[in-house]
Amino acid sequence: MASITFKGNPVTLLGNEVNVGETAPEFKVLANDMSAVSLSDSKDSVRLISVVPSIDTGVCDAQTRKFNEAASGLDNVKILTVSVDLPFAQKRWCGSNGIENVQTLSDHRDLSFGEAFGVHIQELRLLARAVFVVDSQDQVTYVEYVSEATDHPNYEAAIEAAKAAR
């Protein structure tokens, strides 16, 4: 498993680590309207999955904004931002910040995404910061588990991986 710290302290990640070349695992999360969303709902599109501990914090806010801005230059790419924030809070945050190109999804109910992608921080019941790119055939083409959960991911590498995926 990836070695992750949160504010300098080691944390335990639960679930299965995902690697490039593997088939992306299925998951079930909630959209802002409380409807169920799974990986297969966006089949036939490239998915850039941005994982944040809490959307209403500085780095998570910046990460979501960065991918929202990048979305206009990405053809056939859906950007999904996953956190354990409640769907109501995600909807409010997106509305007050003009976020329209990213779909925010909540894993608060049962941490299905967190367990499937190995980003569930056991000690905090949050998700570790990570970015995954999944191609239209559900193959993982890019993975970044950010080693310090309060650091930014490599935005450029993730965006380039999404552009290269088919």
Side-chain angles (χ1 to χ4, degrees), residues 10-61:
V11 293
T12 307
L13 295 183
L14 300 179
N16 301 307
E17 184 173 2
V18 173
N19 296 292
V20 170
E22 296 177 351
T23 299
E26 190 58 71
F27 57 84
K28 188 167 283 186
V29 292
L30 296 174
N32 292 171
D33 64 0
M34 299 294 287
S35 63
V37 175
S38 66
L39 180 69
S40 58
D41 291 335
S42 56
K43 191 156 183 75
D44 298 328
S45 293
V46 172
R47 280 73 39 106
L48 186 154
I49 305 172
S50 171
V51 187
V52 298
S54 179
I55 201 160
D56 205 17
T57 60
V59 177
C60 301
D61 174 292

Side-chain angles (χ1 to χ4, degrees), residues 16 19-20 23 32 46 58 74 76 78 83 98 118 123-124 132 140-141 143 145 147 157 161 164-165:
N16 301 307
N19 296 292
V20 170
T23 299
N32 292 171
V46 172
L74 298 172
N76 197 38
K78 293 189 184 299
S83 73
E123 294 85 353
L124 302 172
F132 304 94
V140 178
T141 64
V143 173
Y145 290 91
S147 60

